[in-house]
Amino acid sequence: MALEVENAKLPYLSKCRLIKQGAEARVYRGTFLGKPTIIKERFSKRYRHPVLDEKLTHRRTTQEVRSILRCRKAGISTPVVYFVDYTSHCIFLEDLEGSITVRDHIASSQESGRDPVCLNTLAEQIGKILAKMHDEDVVHGDLTTSNMLLRQGSGDAKPELVLIDFGLSFYSALPEDKGVDLYVLEKAFLSTHPNTEELFQRLLKSYTQSSKKAAAVIKKLDEVRLRGRKRSMVG
């Protein structure tokens, strides 16, 4: 019922197909100016004061768009931002048709017993891109292999790695924040893809070689890992 009320206020969403709903946003597939489009709508939280809710939602929408644009300016592949409606808190993004998540690609490669060299190359590619993102002081906030897409290039070109879902992103020059970003990815990576410890180490090696600020970040990553282990022991 609540969704129907929201859509009554946003008539263009009623023509789109809801494909995902999370704690912070709903994601739709539709068209914008004749182009296949992903529409991300940040909805109101009824338990928050309306003024506070509006400020927080506006701030997070703005930060998400800024992070995407900052990454694109640095040469990192992200979806194109077509339009932002700050009244309804909707972001209209390029629909990366024909792409697959890195999660599905790794799972498929493991099941088929495909040449591990391909996965090693992918891990190195991920490491380089995350290093570039962190050198721009963008912290993703939700790094998982589901938030990375592979878009097939034209002809024999290798697939392009695209980062998506910057809904929890923020700017920070602190090695601690970047170390936590990598820790989140490590936990998600190893829990989603069993027996890939060496693959993740290859990713970190590539990150270290590619980032100008890697030494301090990796040091913080080790500290965060230690804190995580202590919490697990204590329960």
Side-chain angles (χ1 to χ4, degrees), residues 48-57:
R48 292 196 294 228
H49 188 282
V51 175
L52 175 62
D53 180 72
E54 175 64 26
K55 285 184 177 179
L56 288 175
T57 306

PDB file of all heavy atoms in Angstrom, residues 48-57:
ATOM      1  N   ARG A  48      11.675   8.696  11.163  1.00  0.00           N
ATOM      2  CA  ARG A  48      12.481   9.895  11.379  1.00  0.00           C
ATOM      3  C   ARG A  48      11.608  11.144  11.290  1.00  0.00           C
ATOM      4  O   ARG A  48      10.585  11.153  10.607  1.00  0.00           O
ATOM      5  CB  ARG A  48      13.606   9.993  10.343  1.00  0.00           C
ATOM      6  CG  ARG A  48      14.676   8.932  10.500  1.00  0.00           C
ATOM      7  CD  ARG A  48      15.942   9.264   9.738  1.00  0.00           C
ATOM      8  NE  ARG A  48      15.776   9.284   8.302  1.00  0.00           N
ATOM      9  CZ  ARG A  48      16.586   8.664   7.441  1.00  0.00           C
ATOM     10  NH1 ARG A  48      17.612   7.948   7.895  1.00  0.00           N
ATOM     11  NH2 ARG A  48      16.399   8.750   6.145  1.00  0.00           N
ATOM     12  N   HIS A  49      12.044  12.186  11.957  1.00  0.00           N
ATOM     13  CA  HIS A  49      11.358  13.468  11.838  1.00  0.00           C
ATOM     14  C   HIS A  49      11.426  13.909  10.378  1.00  0.00           C
ATOM     15  O   HIS A  49      12.486  13.802   9.739  1.00  0.00           O
ATOM     16  CB  HIS A  49      12.044  14.509  12.736  1.00  0.00           C
ATOM     17  CG  HIS A  49      11.297  15.806  12.814  1.00  0.00           C
ATOM     18  ND1 HIS A  49      11.344  16.753  11.808  1.00  0.00           N
ATOM     19  CD2 HIS A  49      10.481  16.305  13.771  1.00  0.00           C
ATOM     20  CE1 HIS A  49      10.594  17.782  12.143  1.00  0.00           C
ATOM     21  NE2 HIS A  49      10.059  17.541  13.332  1.00  0.00           N
ATOM     22  N   PRO A  50      10.312  14.396   9.817  1.00  0.00           N
ATOM     23  CA  PRO A  50      10.281  14.727   8.390  1.00  0.00           C
ATOM     24  C   PRO A  50      11.384  15.679   7.936  1.00  0.00           C
ATOM     25  O   PRO A  50      11.954  15.500   6.856  1.00  0.00           O
ATOM     26  CB  PRO A  50       8.901  15.374   8.216  1.00  0.00           C
ATOM     27  CG  PRO A  50       8.075  14.790   9.299  1.00  0.00           C
ATOM     28  CD  PRO A  50       9.003  14.581  10.452  1.00  0.00           C
ATOM     29  N   VAL A  51      11.713  16.694   8.731  1.00  0.00           N
ATOM     30  CA  VAL A  51      12.754  17.653   8.348  1.00  0.00           C
ATOM     31  C   VAL A  51      14.117  16.976   8.330  1.00  0.00           C
ATOM     32  O   VAL A  51      14.907  17.131   7.384  1.00  0.00           O
ATOM     33  CB  VAL A  51      12.769  18.869   9.302  1.00  0.00           C
ATOM     34  CG1 VAL A  51      13.937  19.804   8.951  1.00  0.00           C
ATOM     35  CG2 VAL A  51      11.455  19.633   9.227  1.00  0.00           C
ATOM     36  N   LEU A  52      14.388  16.183   9.368  1.00  0.00           N
ATOM     37  CA  LEU A  52      15.654  15.457   9.424  1.00  0.00           C
ATOM     38  C   LEU A  52      15.744  14.440   8.293  1.00  0.00           C
ATOM     39  O   LEU A  52      16.796  14.297   7.643  1.00  0.00           O
ATOM     40  CB  LEU A  52      15.788  14.748  10.778  1.00  0.00           C
ATOM     41  CG  LEU A  52      17.028  13.845  10.952  1.00  0.00           C
ATOM     42  CD1 LEU A  52      18.309  14.656  10.846  1.00  0.00           C
ATOM     43  CD2 LEU A  52      16.964  13.107  12.289  1.00  0.00           C
ATOM     44  N   ASP A  53      14.647  13.743   8.051  1.00  0.00           N
ATOM     45  CA  ASP A  53      14.615  12.743   6.987  1.00  0.00           C
ATOM     46  C   ASP A  53      14.926  13.369   5.631  1.00  0.00           C
ATOM     47  O   ASP A  53      15.710  12.829   4.848  1.00  0.00           O
ATOM     48  CB  ASP A  53      13.246  12.066   6.945  1.00  0.00           C
ATOM     49  CG  ASP A  53      13.157  11.007   5.864  1.00  0.00           C
ATOM     50  OD1 ASP A  53      13.767   9.937   6.030  1.00  0.00           O
ATOM     51  OD2 ASP A  53      12.493  11.260   4.844  1.00  0.00           O
ATOM     52  N   GLU A  54      14.338  14.516   5.358  1.00  0.00           N
ATOM     53  CA  GLU A  54      14.562  15.198   4.087  1.00  0.00           C
ATOM     54  C   GLU A  54      16.021  15.609   3.936  1.00  0.00           C
ATOM     55  O   GLU A  54      16.631  15.442   2.878  1.00  0.00           O
ATOM     56  CB  GLU A  54      13.649  16.420   3.991  1.00  0.00           C
ATOM     57  CG  GLU A  54      13.861  17.284   2.758  1.00  0.00           C
ATOM     58  CD  GLU A  54      13.551  16.568   1.454  1.00  0.00           C
ATOM     59  OE1 GLU A  54      12.734  15.634   1.471  1.00  0.00           O
ATOM     60  OE2 GLU A  54      14.141  16.945   0.416  1.00  0.00           O
ATOM     61  N   LYS A  55      16.603  16.140   5.006  1.00  0.00           N
ATOM     62  CA  LYS A  55      18.003  16.574   4.957  1.00  0.00           C
ATOM     63  C   LYS A  55      18.938  15.393   4.715  1.00  0.00           C
ATOM     64  O   LYS A  55      19.843  15.463   3.886  1.00  0.00           O
ATOM     65  CB  LYS A  55      18.382  17.287   6.257  1.00  0.00           C
ATOM     66  CG  LYS A  55      17.815  18.689   6.384  1.00  0.00           C
ATOM     67  CD  LYS A  55      18.312  19.368   7.660  1.00  0.00           C
ATOM     68  CE  LYS A  55      17.800  20.803   7.749  1.00  0.00           C
ATOM     69  NZ  LYS A  55      18.254  21.480   8.983  1.00  0.00           N
ATOM     70  N   LEU A  56      18.717  14.300   5.456  1.00  0.00           N
ATOM     71  CA  LEU A  56      19.589  13.128   5.322  1.00  0.00           C
ATOM     72  C   LEU A  56      19.456  12.495   3.942  1.00  0.00           C
ATOM     73  O   LEU A  56      20.456  12.117   3.316  1.00  0.00           O
ATOM     74  CB  LEU A  56      19.251  12.096   6.400  1.00  0.00           C
ATOM     75  CG  LEU A  56      19.664  12.430   7.835  1.00  0.00           C
ATOM     76  CD1 LEU A  56      19.151  11.378   8.793  1.00  0.00           C
ATOM     77  CD2 LEU A  56      21.183  12.555   7.950  1.00  0.00           C
ATOM     78  N   THR A  57      18.227  12.373   3.474  1.00  0.00           N
ATOM     79  CA  THR A  57      17.994  11.748   2.169  1.00  0.00           C
ATOM     80  C   THR A  57      18.609  12.590   1.056  1.00  0.00           C
ATOM     81  O   THR A  57      19.238  12.054   0.130  1.00  0.00           O
ATOM     82  CB  THR A  57      16.489  11.554   1.915  1.00  0.00           C
ATOM     83  OG1 THR A  57      15.922  10.828   3.001  1.00  0.00           O
ATOM     84  CG2 THR A  57      16.248  10.794   0.631  1.00  0.00           C
TER      85      THR A  57
END
